[in-house]
Structure formats: structure tokens, C-alpha cells
Amino acid sequence: MPRGWYGGGPGGWWQRQFRGGGYRITMPRQIILQVLDESKRHLSAEDIYLKVYQIYPTIGLTTVYRTLELLVRMGLVFKFDFGDGRARYELTRGDGNLSHHHHLICTNCGRIIDYDDFIEEELELIKKTRQELEKKYGFEIRNHTLQFYGLCKKCKAIKE
Amino acid sequence: MPRGWYGGGPGGWWQRQFRGGGYRITMPRQIILQVLDESKRHLSAEDIYLKVYQIYPTIGLTTVYRTLELLVRMGLVFKFDFGDGRARYELTRGDGNLSHHHHLICTNCGRIIDYDDFIEEELELIKKTRQELEKKYGFEIRNHTLQFYGLCKKCKAIKE
DNA sequence: ATATCTGCAAAGACTTTGCATGAGA
DNA sequence: TCTCATGCAAAGTCTTTGCAGATAT
């Protein structure tokens, strides 16, 4: 049995999600999901393309984009923007709105650090804020991001 | 005396910032700053271009981009990414890292709401998190964003 | 005077679209 | 079978770059 969220065989829950939506389970789609599952976070479309290409060389970039769009629409994947002009993607892993997508981004070299320190309080506050914003603005909130921008250790040292 | 942050005449503090950096105070730059000062938040480069065009029709989009890049580098302007493929800009108004750049973004229609409710606790937490992250990762944090994504009232109603 | 700035046109990077072929249910 | 999915090529968007003429100091 495969490891990770992606596994579970042909009757797994995401396969059911696909069928329920009238979407076909194709080789490109399976491999894209596999790659997302096996990789670290925040991959660009091209990152994904190159990894899928190793397994399935007839893949096209277009299919990667179209599949990612579908997965985002289905709520299986989050799309991020770090301000460098290319989108990043990662599996939601079924954790809905409680996941933390919190990043430190170096505005000089583009390095991205995921942090999950000091998260407890944050989640608590965000949960509360979320509820209040939903009530006040009638928004249905599905996701959130908290990002800090600045200079990473290395770039800071160079600038000095 | 003009109102707002931008005002203050030819000896104002941002003019000094310019001179100090060896940057010239030109008509396009003055008008771009004026437009940023008089407008609501999160304008795209094209929004700014069109507003400047009303006042100074020989302006070029290139100059808008180059000026915004300069202003971001100088710390006078923040650049945001809301995930729709175009960057947004707004004056920092000298409030440094304590400002709240907190948005609700409708993933269906693109509407953006600034909120500043329930901010107290958030700022407190962010300040604390910031300090701890700087210590732990050696990052020099200069800015942050907190964004909630979902469906706005209108789009939610339509989907139902 | 002279180094910077500007605007146009062209190029670049990422993403989306049109369409004929191929594959899943 | 018949609709949906794929891949290629082309187009689209936003942004950046090259360069000659214009401008600020």
C-alpha cells in the first residue's frame, strides 16, 4: 500500500471525488497527483511538469496547468502567489481551513521557508477572525495565507 | 498645504529621500506619487497608468512600472499579489511594519475587501511572531500580508 | 554638462485558448 | 460509442529590457 495521502488504491476518496464530478481518471491526472504527494511543498507548474515528465514523458505543460486548475477548483490543491510572477501549488491533504500556509519569503533571492513554529496561537486567532469576518462581511472563507517578506540570513549578510 | 501624506511642498521628506538616493524628482514620479496618495488602496499598474494619464498624457506604462519598482525598493510603496496575475500597489505612508495589509479576496469575482476589524490582537500576535521568526531564522522581516480567500456575499448567493 | 529618466517598440515569462487527435467510461 | 481529455501551436497578459532622445541638477 502506497504511503501518504495520495495512496489508498483505485477506490480511494479522491477517485470518488473525480467520478462524482464527472471527471475522468487519466494517467496524467494520476501522475500529477502522485508527484504533488511525493514532493515538498510549493511547486511551480514547471516543477511539476518536469517531475511528471520523468515518469510520463508525453505530458504537456498545458495539461499540467489544466489539471492544476481542476484540482484547485475541486479543493484538492492550494494555489499560492509569492510575488515572483509564478504560481505555486500544493496538496491540501484534506486539512481544509485549519492548515497553516505560512511562509517567509526572501525578496532578494526568492527563498521560501515554511514555518510552523508559534502556530498554536495563530490558528486560534485565525479561526476566530475567520468567524467574525464571515459574519460581518458575508464572506465564505475557504483558505488563508500569512506571509512575511524580508531578507533571508544569507542575503542580509551579503548586503552588509 | 495639500492634504494627505504626499503633501508638504518641495522640501517634504520623500523629496529628501529621493535626493539622498541620487534619484531625480521628475514630473512622472511626482504625479505617480500624487495618484497613489489620492486613490484608494491596491491599484494595479494599469489603474495607476490610467489615472496618471488624465493629468499627464505623455506618460508611458513603462515609466509607471519603473517608478513603482523604484518606490518599492525605497520602501515608499508596498507591492501585493492577490493571485489574479497582476500586482497591486499602495503607499506605505511611512507606517513601516505595523500597518495592516489584511484582505479578503473573492476567488470568483476578484473583489478585494480591506478589513481592519479585529486587528488589535492580530497585530499583537504578528509582532510577536515576527520577532521570534527573526531570531530563529535570521530573517530581517520588512513586511507581511494576511489574506483570506473565499466567496464574497454576492458570489455566494449566485452559487446557491 | 552630463548622468539619469522617459517613452516607444520589442522581447520575455508565465498562462490560457483553439483545435484535431486520442482515451476513458 | 461518445463525450471528455490531451498535446501542440498560437495567442494572451502582465512585466521587463534596449535604445535614442529628453530632462533634471
Side-chain angles (χ1 to χ4, degrees):
Chain A
M1 182 166 127
R3 71 195 179 319
W5 168 90
Y6 168 83
W13 73 274
W14 69 264
Q15 286 92 337
R16 248 173 280 131
Q17 284 243 118
F18 265 67
R19 294 221 167 76
Y23 306 121
R24 293 177 178 171
I25 296 167
T26 65
M27 201 49 77
R29 288 174 178 178
Q30 291 187 65
I31 297 175
I32 288 168
L33 277 164
Q34 180 190 332
V35 161
L36 284 167
D37 187 47
E38 291 174 350
S39 303
K40 64 183 188 337
R41 313 177 91 177
H42 42 71
L43 297 169
S44 69
E46 200 191 343
D47 292 337
I48 295 165
Y49 170 76
L50 290 172
K51 283 173 188 286
V52 173
Y53 185 89
Q54 302 293 102
I55 304 169
Y56 188 81
T58 58
I59 191 73
L61 233 197
T62 305
T63 301
V64 173
Y65 276 109
R66 276 195 284 233
T67 301
L68 289 170
E69 191 208 342
L70 174 66
L71 295 174
V72 169
R73 215 166 51 234
M74 292 176 73
L76 272 62
V77 161
F78 284 149
K79 181 179 179 180
F80 290 95
D81 234 303
F82 294 144
D84 63 352
R86 84 192 57 188
R88 312 304 169 92
Y89 302 87
E90 63 184 68
L91 279 184
T92 58
R93 304 193 127 85
D95 52 10
N97 293 291
L98 290 174
S99 61
H100 48 276
H101 296 290
H102 299 175
H103 305 107
L104 277 89
I105 300 157
C106 179
T107 52
N108 189 245
C109 70
R111 195 151 80 104
I112 296 158
I113 296 175
D114 287 300
Y115 73 89
D116 49 11
D117 314 276
F118 333 119
I119 279 292
E120 293 303 320
E121 281 176 86
E122 255 177 53
L123 286 182
E124 194 55 43
L125 178 64
I126 281 169
K127 204 166 129 188
K128 190 176 125 193
T129 305
R130 210 184 100 112
Q131 282 171 354
E132 305 220 46
L133 291 175
E134 291 198 329
K135 198 162 66 187
K136 173 154 180 183
Y137 295 101
F139 242 79
E140 180 184 321
I141 291 168
R142 296 194 168 164
N143 190 10
H144 73 268
T145 63
L146 174 55
Q147 306 185 339
F148 289 91
Y149 295 86
L151 291 178
C152 72
K153 207 170 191 167
K154 214 177 284 179
C155 290
K156 200 173 65 175
I158 291 166
K159 295 243 161 169
E160 275 160 10
Chain B
M1 182 164 124
R3 72 192 179 322
W5 168 91
Y6 168 81
W13 73 275
W14 69 263
Q15 285 94 335
R16 247 174 280 131
Q17 285 244 118
F18 266 66
R19 294 224 166 75
Y23 307 120
R24 292 177 178 174
I25 296 168
T26 64
M27 203 46 78
R29 288 174 178 177
Q30 292 188 64
I31 297 176
I32 288 168
L33 276 165
Q34 180 190 331
V35 161
L36 284 166
D37 186 49
E38 291 174 351
S39 303
K40 64 183 190 336
R41 314 177 89 176
H42 43 70
L43 298 170
S44 68
E46 200 192 343
D47 292 337
I48 295 164
Y49 170 76
L50 291 172
K51 282 173 188 287
V52 174
Y53 185 88
Q54 301 294 102
I55 304 169
Y56 186 81
T58 58
I59 190 74
L61 232 197
T62 304
T63 301
V64 173
Y65 276 110
R66 276 195 284 230
T67 301
L68 289 169
E69 191 208 340
L70 173 66
L71 295 173
V72 168
R73 216 167 49 232
M74 292 175 74
L76 272 60
V77 161
F78 283 150
K79 181 179 179 182
F80 291 95
D81 234 304
F82 294 144
D84 64 352
R86 86 192 56 190
R88 312 303 171 94
Y89 302 86
E90 65 183 67
L91 279 185
T92 59
R93 304 192 127 84
D95 52 8
N97 294 288
L98 290 174
S99 60
H100 48 278
H101 297 289
H102 299 176
H103 304 108
L104 277 84
I105 300 158
C106 179
T107 51
N108 190 245
C109 71
R111 193 150 82 102
I112 297 158
I113 296 176
D114 286 300
Y115 73 90
D116 49 12
D117 315 275
F118 333 121
I119 279 291
E120 293 304 320
E121 281 176 85
E122 260 176 50
L123 286 182
E124 194 53 44
L125 178 64
I126 281 169
K127 204 166 128 189
K128 190 175 124 192
T129 304
R130 211 184 101 114
Q131 281 171 354
E132 304 221 43
L133 290 174
E134 290 197 328
K135 197 162 65 186
K136 172 155 180 181
Y137 295 101
F139 242 78
E140 180 183 322
I141 292 168
R142 296 193 167 163
N143 189 12
H144 72 269
T145 63
L146 175 54
Q147 306 186 338
F148 288 91
Y149 294 86
L151 292 178
C152 72
K153 209 169 189 168
K154 215 178 282 180
C155 289
K156 199 172 67 175
I158 290 166
K159 295 245 160 166
E160 273 160 8

